[in-house]
mmCIF file of all heavy atoms in Angstrom:
data_model
loop_
_atom_site.group_PDB
_atom_site.id
_atom_site.type_symbol
_atom_site.label_atom_id
_atom_site.label_comp_id
_atom_site.label_asym_id
_atom_site.label_seq_id
_atom_site.Cartn_x
_atom_site.Cartn_y
_atom_site.Cartn_z
ATOM 1 N N TYR A 1 97.206 80.923 120.743
ATOM 2 C CA TYR A 1 96.548 79.575 121.083
ATOM 3 C C TYR A 1 95.744 79.732 122.518
ATOM 4 O O TYR A 1 96.266 79.146 123.433
ATOM 5 C CB TYR A 1 97.625 78.454 121.162
ATOM 6 C CG TYR A 1 98.174 78.187 119.788
ATOM 7 C CD1 TYR A 1 99.414 78.829 119.337
ATOM 8 C CD2 TYR A 1 97.605 77.240 118.946
ATOM 9 C CE1 TYR A 1 99.893 78.685 118.129
ATOM 10 C CE2 TYR A 1 98.180 76.975 117.765
ATOM 11 C CZ TYR A 1 99.296 77.624 117.315
ATOM 12 O OH TYR A 1 99.734 77.464 116.083
ATOM 13 N N PRO A 2 94.763 80.607 122.611
ATOM 14 C CA PRO A 2 94.182 80.857 123.834
ATOM 15 C C PRO A 2 93.162 79.672 124.110
ATOM 16 O O PRO A 2 92.714 78.863 123.294
ATOM 17 C CB PRO A 2 93.329 82.073 123.494
ATOM 18 C CG PRO A 2 92.976 81.925 122.124
ATOM 19 C CD PRO A 2 94.212 81.306 121.372
ATOM 20 N N ALA A 3 92.890 79.496 125.327
ATOM 21 C CA ALA A 3 91.782 78.502 125.761
ATOM 22 C C ALA A 3 90.427 79.136 125.199
ATOM 23 O O ALA A 3 90.266 80.313 125.113
ATOM 24 C CB ALA A 3 91.899 78.359 127.274
ATOM 25 N N MET A 4 89.709 78.131 124.713
ATOM 26 C CA MET A 4 88.321 78.413 124.307
ATOM 27 C C MET A 4 87.441 78.286 125.476
ATOM 28 O O MET A 4 87.366 77.313 126.257
ATOM 29 C CB MET A 4 87.868 77.576 123.259
ATOM 30 C CG MET A 4 88.945 77.472 122.028
ATOM 31 S SD MET A 4 89.160 79.074 121.291
ATOM 32 C CE MET A 4 90.564 78.647 120.261
ATOM 33 N N ALA A 5 86.607 79.290 125.795
ATOM 34 C CA ALA A 5 85.565 79.236 126.672
ATOM 35 C C ALA A 5 84.489 78.122 126.563
ATOM 36 O O ALA A 5 84.234 77.830 125.362
ATOM 37 C CB ALA A 5 84.843 80.612 126.751
ATOM 38 N N GLU A 6 84.198 77.402 127.546
ATOM 39 C CA GLU A 6 83.544 76.107 127.466
ATOM 40 C C GLU A 6 82.208 76.331 126.738
ATOM 41 O O GLU A 6 81.786 75.475 125.963
ATOM 42 C CB GLU A 6 83.353 75.522 128.818
ATOM 43 C CG GLU A 6 84.607 75.052 129.509
ATOM 44 C CD GLU A 6 84.240 74.351 130.794
ATOM 45 O OE1 GLU A 6 83.042 74.304 131.189
ATOM 46 O OE2 GLU A 6 85.251 73.929 131.566
ATOM 47 N N ASP A 7 81.564 77.376 126.914
ATOM 48 C CA ASP A 7 80.237 77.667 126.263
ATOM 49 C C ASP A 7 80.374 78.478 124.989
ATOM 50 O O ASP A 7 79.296 78.932 124.474
ATOM 51 C CB ASP A 7 79.256 78.338 127.341
ATOM 52 C CG ASP A 7 79.883 79.688 127.716
ATOM 53 O OD1 ASP A 7 81.075 79.920 127.520
ATOM 54 O OD2 ASP A 7 79.079 80.428 128.326
ATOM 55 N N SER A 8 81.530 78.506 124.437
ATOM 56 C CA SER A 8 81.681 79.383 123.285
ATOM 57 C C SER A 8 81.197 78.679 121.946
ATOM 58 O O SER A 8 81.450 77.492 121.729
ATOM 59 C CB SER A 8 83.243 79.749 123.066
ATOM 60 O OG SER A 8 83.374 80.500 121.990
ATOM 61 N N ASP A 9 80.318 79.444 121.164
ATOM 62 C CA ASP A 9 79.984 79.091 119.871
ATOM 63 C C ASP A 9 80.959 79.765 118.780
ATOM 64 O O ASP A 9 82.096 80.096 119.249
ATOM 65 C CB ASP A 9 78.560 79.245 119.577
ATOM 66 C CG ASP A 9 78.185 80.761 119.814
ATOM 67 O OD1 ASP A 9 79.055 81.439 120.180
ATOM 68 O OD2 ASP A 9 76.968 81.023 119.689
ATOM 69 N N THR A 10 80.572 79.977 117.755
ATOM 70 C CA THR A 10 81.329 80.604 116.622
ATOM 71 C C THR A 10 80.691 81.774 116.061
ATOM 72 O O THR A 10 79.455 81.863 116.161
ATOM 73 C CB THR A 10 81.760 79.593 115.628
ATOM 74 O OG1 THR A 10 80.596 79.046 114.928
ATOM 75 C CG2 THR A 10 82.666 78.438 116.188
ATOM 76 N N VAL A 11 81.357 82.624 115.484
ATOM 77 C CA VAL A 11 80.895 83.780 114.605
ATOM 78 C C VAL A 11 81.445 83.622 113.217
ATOM 79 O O VAL A 11 82.604 83.333 113.121
ATOM 80 C CB VAL A 11 81.197 85.100 115.273
ATOM 81 C CG1 VAL A 11 80.490 85.129 116.635
ATOM 82 C CG2 VAL A 11 82.622 85.346 115.557
ATOM 83 N N THR A 12 80.703 83.962 112.312
ATOM 84 C CA THR A 12 81.256 84.152 110.914
ATOM 85 C C THR A 12 81.201 85.460 110.206
ATOM 86 O O THR A 12 81.883 85.634 109.188
ATOM 87 C CB THR A 12 80.476 83.064 110.032
ATOM 88 O OG1 THR A 12 79.027 83.506 110.191
ATOM 89 C CG2 THR A 12 80.516 81.750 110.432
ATOM 90 N N VAL A 13 80.490 86.335 110.900
ATOM 91 C CA VAL A 13 80.408 87.743 110.397
ATOM 92 C C VAL A 13 80.410 88.670 111.559
ATOM 93 O O VAL A 13 79.817 88.436 112.627
ATOM 94 C CB VAL A 13 79.088 88.068 109.663
ATOM 95 C CG1 VAL A 13 79.077 89.516 109.184
ATOM 96 C CG2 VAL A 13 79.162 87.071 108.373
ATOM 97 N N ILE A 14 81.205 89.780 111.420
ATOM 98 C CA ILE A 14 81.356 90.765 112.566
ATOM 99 C C ILE A 14 80.704 92.147 112.009
ATOM 100 O O ILE A 14 81.371 92.885 111.130
ATOM 101 C CB ILE A 14 82.739 91.068 112.963
ATOM 102 C CG1 ILE A 14 83.276 89.738 113.549
ATOM 103 C CG2 ILE A 14 82.730 92.104 114.129
ATOM 104 C CD1 ILE A 14 84.786 89.863 114.132
ATOM 105 N N PRO A 15 79.477 92.503 112.242
ATOM 106 C CA PRO A 15 78.793 93.578 111.795
ATOM 107 C C PRO A 15 79.555 94.856 112.253
ATOM 108 O O PRO A 15 79.757 94.943 113.580
ATOM 109 C CB PRO A 15 77.388 93.498 112.259
ATOM 110 C CG PRO A 15 77.396 92.633 113.358
ATOM 111 C CD PRO A 15 78.477 91.651 113.155
ATOM 112 N N LEU A 16 79.749 95.737 111.563
ATOM 113 C CA LEU A 16 80.511 96.981 111.969
ATOM 114 C C LEU A 16 79.664 98.234 111.531
ATOM 115 O O LEU A 16 79.071 98.116 110.537
ATOM 116 C CB LEU A 16 81.967 97.031 111.453
ATOM 117 C CG LEU A 16 82.904 95.984 111.855
ATOM 118 C CD1 LEU A 16 84.148 96.080 111.049
ATOM 119 C CD2 LEU A 16 83.257 96.141 113.318
ATOM 120 N N LEU A 17 79.721 99.306 112.343
ATOM 121 C CA LEU A 17 79.178 100.519 111.897
ATOM 122 C C LEU A 17 79.976 101.173 110.685
ATOM 123 O O LEU A 17 81.217 100.911 110.771
ATOM 124 C CB LEU A 17 79.120 101.597 112.994
ATOM 125 C CG LEU A 17 78.236 101.269 114.172
ATOM 126 C CD1 LEU A 17 78.414 102.304 115.288
ATOM 127 C CD2 LEU A 17 76.738 101.122 113.755
ATOM 128 N N THR A 18 79.365 101.805 109.722
ATOM 129 C CA THR A 18 80.281 102.359 108.666
ATOM 130 C C THR A 18 80.909 103.597 109.151
ATOM 131 O O THR A 18 80.693 104.231 110.143
ATOM 132 C CB THR A 18 79.319 102.658 107.383
ATOM 133 O OG1 THR A 18 78.480 103.774 107.854
ATOM 134 C CG2 THR A 18 78.397 101.507 107.080
ATOM 135 N N LEU A 19 81.961 103.995 108.264
ATOM 136 C CA LEU A 19 82.720 105.139 108.649
ATOM 137 C C LEU A 19 81.853 106.479 108.667
ATOM 138 O O LEU A 19 82.171 107.349 109.398
ATOM 139 C CB LEU A 19 83.862 105.343 107.567
ATOM 140 C CG LEU A 19 84.924 104.320 107.589
ATOM 141 C CD1 LEU A 19 86.020 104.654 106.637
ATOM 142 C CD2 LEU A 19 85.689 104.223 109.034
ATOM 143 N N ALA A 20 80.712 106.513 108.046
ATOM 144 C CA ALA A 20 79.903 107.593 107.884
ATOM 145 C C ALA A 20 78.931 107.634 109.110
ATOM 146 O O ALA A 20 78.164 108.575 109.270
ATOM 147 C CB ALA A 20 79.139 107.695 106.651
ATOM 148 N N ASP A 21 78.758 106.582 109.904
ATOM 149 C CA ASP A 21 77.852 106.470 110.966
ATOM 150 C C ASP A 21 78.062 107.550 112.065
ATOM 151 O O ASP A 21 79.231 107.724 112.451
ATOM 152 C CB ASP A 21 77.802 105.176 111.571
ATOM 153 C CG ASP A 21 76.684 104.800 112.415
ATOM 154 O OD1 ASP A 21 76.436 105.486 113.340
ATOM 155 O OD2 ASP A 21 75.923 103.888 112.064
ATOM 156 N N PRO A 22 77.066 108.287 112.344
ATOM 157 C CA PRO A 22 77.228 109.413 113.363
ATOM 158 C C PRO A 22 77.816 108.868 114.707
ATOM 159 O O PRO A 22 78.318 109.538 115.433
ATOM 160 C CB PRO A 22 75.855 109.994 113.520
ATOM 161 C CG PRO A 22 74.842 109.032 112.891
ATOM 162 C CD PRO A 22 75.651 108.253 111.882
ATOM 163 N N ASP A 23 77.427 107.597 115.024
ATOM 164 C CA ASP A 23 77.769 107.163 116.340
ATOM 165 C C ASP A 23 79.396 107.005 116.419
ATOM 166 O O ASP A 23 79.849 106.862 117.448
ATOM 167 C CB ASP A 23 77.434 105.641 116.541
ATOM 168 C CG ASP A 23 75.824 105.615 116.802
ATOM 169 O OD1 ASP A 23 75.333 106.764 117.117
ATOM 170 O OD2 ASP A 23 75.248 104.509 116.714
ATOM 171 N N PHE A 24 80.045 107.170 115.316
ATOM 172 C CA PHE A 24 81.543 107.069 115.379
ATOM 173 C C PHE A 24 82.120 108.396 115.414
ATOM 174 O O PHE A 24 83.342 108.468 115.427
ATOM 175 C CB PHE A 24 82.113 106.398 114.019
ATOM 176 C CG PHE A 24 82.216 104.937 114.104
ATOM 177 C CD1 PHE A 24 81.150 104.091 113.934
ATOM 178 C CD2 PHE A 24 83.415 104.341 114.424
ATOM 179 C CE1 PHE A 24 81.321 102.799 114.077
ATOM 180 C CE2 PHE A 24 83.610 102.953 114.578
ATOM 181 C CZ PHE A 24 82.496 102.203 114.478
ATOM 182 N N GLU A 25 81.315 109.550 115.344
ATOM 183 C CA GLU A 25 81.965 110.857 115.437
ATOM 184 C C GLU A 25 82.704 110.924 116.913
ATOM 185 O O GLU A 25 82.353 110.419 117.913
ATOM 186 C CB GLU A 25 80.797 111.936 115.538
ATOM 187 C CG GLU A 25 80.232 111.971 114.072
ATOM 188 C CD GLU A 25 81.290 112.296 113.049
ATOM 189 O OE1 GLU A 25 82.105 113.152 113.230
ATOM 190 O OE2 GLU A 25 81.134 111.489 111.928
ATOM 191 N N SER A 26 83.851 111.681 116.971
ATOM 192 C CA SER A 26 84.579 111.912 118.056
ATOM 193 C C SER A 26 83.663 112.450 119.165
ATOM 194 O O SER A 26 83.034 113.414 118.975
ATOM 195 C CB SER A 26 85.805 112.756 117.698
ATOM 196 O OG SER A 26 86.554 112.170 116.749
ATOM 197 N N ALA A 27 83.820 111.918 120.329
ATOM 198 C CA ALA A 27 83.239 112.435 121.558
ATOM 199 C C ALA A 27 83.862 113.857 121.908
ATOM 200 O O ALA A 27 84.983 114.082 121.789
ATOM 201 C CB ALA A 27 83.272 111.427 122.732
ATOM 202 N N PRO A 28 82.902 114.729 122.176
ATOM 203 C CA PRO A 28 83.415 116.054 122.665
ATOM 204 C C PRO A 28 84.285 115.991 123.939
ATOM 205 O O PRO A 28 84.238 115.110 124.650
ATOM 206 C CB PRO A 28 82.198 116.804 123.032
ATOM 207 C CG PRO A 28 81.083 115.750 123.435
ATOM 208 C CD PRO A 28 81.487 114.571 122.502
ATOM 209 N N ARG A 29 85.345 116.815 123.960
ATOM 210 C CA ARG A 29 86.284 116.756 125.171
ATOM 211 C C ARG A 29 85.743 117.623 126.206
ATOM 212 O O ARG A 29 86.416 117.636 127.294
ATOM 213 C CB ARG A 29 87.644 117.403 124.559
ATOM 214 C CG ARG A 29 88.425 116.269 123.835
ATOM 215 C CD ARG A 29 89.871 116.739 123.529
ATOM 216 N NE ARG A 29 89.831 117.975 122.812
ATOM 217 C CZ ARG A 29 89.856 117.954 121.496
ATOM 218 N NH1 ARG A 29 89.967 116.784 120.754
ATOM 219 N NH2 ARG A 29 89.949 119.156 120.746
ATOM 220 N N ARG A 30 84.691 118.475 125.998
ATOM 221 C CA ARG A 30 84.174 119.246 127.129
ATOM 222 C C ARG A 30 83.602 118.345 128.191
ATOM 223 O O ARG A 30 82.928 117.371 127.867
ATOM 224 C CB ARG A 30 83.116 120.084 126.646
ATOM 225 C CG ARG A 30 83.655 121.442 125.899
ATOM 226 C CD ARG A 30 82.410 122.301 125.642
ATOM 227 N NE ARG A 30 82.812 123.618 124.937
ATOM 228 C CZ ARG A 30 83.152 124.621 125.731
ATOM 229 N NH1 ARG A 30 83.243 124.579 127.071
ATOM 230 N NH2 ARG A 30 83.543 125.676 125.058
ATOM 231 N N PRO A 31 83.811 118.659 129.507
ATOM 232 C CA PRO A 31 83.224 117.757 130.467
ATOM 233 C C PRO A 31 81.584 117.905 130.455
ATOM 234 O O PRO A 31 81.014 118.767 130.017
ATOM 235 C CB PRO A 31 83.752 118.281 131.802
ATOM 236 C CG PRO A 31 84.128 119.782 131.424
ATOM 237 C CD PRO A 31 84.573 119.751 130.062
ATOM 238 N N ALA A 32 81.052 116.873 130.904
ATOM 239 C CA ALA A 32 79.492 116.865 130.952
ATOM 240 C C ALA A 32 79.174 117.960 131.997
ATOM 241 O O ALA A 32 79.869 118.564 132.793
ATOM 242 C CB ALA A 32 79.102 115.522 131.535
ATOM 243 N N LYS A 33 77.824 118.459 131.838
ATOM 244 C CA LYS A 33 77.384 119.489 132.614
ATOM 245 C C LYS A 33 77.328 118.962 134.176
ATOM 246 O O LYS A 33 76.705 117.845 134.397
ATOM 247 C CB LYS A 33 75.989 119.827 132.133
ATOM 248 C CG LYS A 33 75.979 120.806 130.934
ATOM 249 C CD LYS A 33 76.750 122.109 131.263
ATOM 250 C CE LYS A 33 76.826 123.055 130.110
ATOM 251 N NZ LYS A 33 77.640 124.211 130.481
ATOM 252 N N LEU A 34 77.746 119.840 135.089
ATOM 253 C CA LEU A 34 77.813 119.392 136.457
ATOM 254 C C LEU A 34 77.172 120.466 137.269
ATOM 255 O O LEU A 34 77.563 120.662 138.437
ATOM 256 C CB LEU A 34 79.241 119.203 136.834
ATOM 257 C CG LEU A 34 79.998 118.035 136.095
ATOM 258 C CD1 LEU A 34 81.465 118.165 136.602
ATOM 259 C CD2 LEU A 34 79.297 116.713 136.475
ATOM 260 N N ASP A 35 76.061 121.088 136.717
ATOM 261 C CA ASP A 35 75.445 122.114 137.489
ATOM 262 C C ASP A 35 74.929 121.818 138.815
ATOM 263 O O ASP A 35 74.325 120.796 139.023
ATOM 264 C CB ASP A 35 74.138 122.636 136.711
ATOM 265 C CG ASP A 35 74.544 123.313 135.384
ATOM 266 O OD1 ASP A 35 75.617 123.813 135.194
ATOM 267 O OD2 ASP A 35 73.718 123.231 134.411
ATOM 268 N N GLY A 36 75.570 122.548 139.893
ATOM 269 C CA GLY A 36 75.220 122.338 141.244
ATOM 270 C C GLY A 36 76.001 121.168 141.951
ATOM 271 O O GLY A 36 75.751 121.002 143.158
#
C-alpha cells in the first residue's frame, strides 16, 4: 500500500525485450580497456 506520486498516471502494458534480444546477453566480465 505505497503512497502514489502526485503526478503519477497509469500504465497498462510493460514492453519487454524478448529472451532472444542481443541486449540481454550477459555483459563480459573483463574490465574495460584502460590503456594509459
Side-chain angles (χ1 to χ4, degrees):
Y1 293 90
M4 307 299 168
E6 293 182 0
D7 58 346
S8 180
D9 53 2
T10 60
V11 293
T12 56
V13 176
I14 299 179
L16 298 171
L17 298 177
T18 65
L19 293 180
D21 196 297
D23 288 346
F24 270 83
E25 292 302 316
S26 299
R29 284 188 294 271
R30 282 184 177 273
K33 283 298 180 183
L34 299 172
D35 294 332

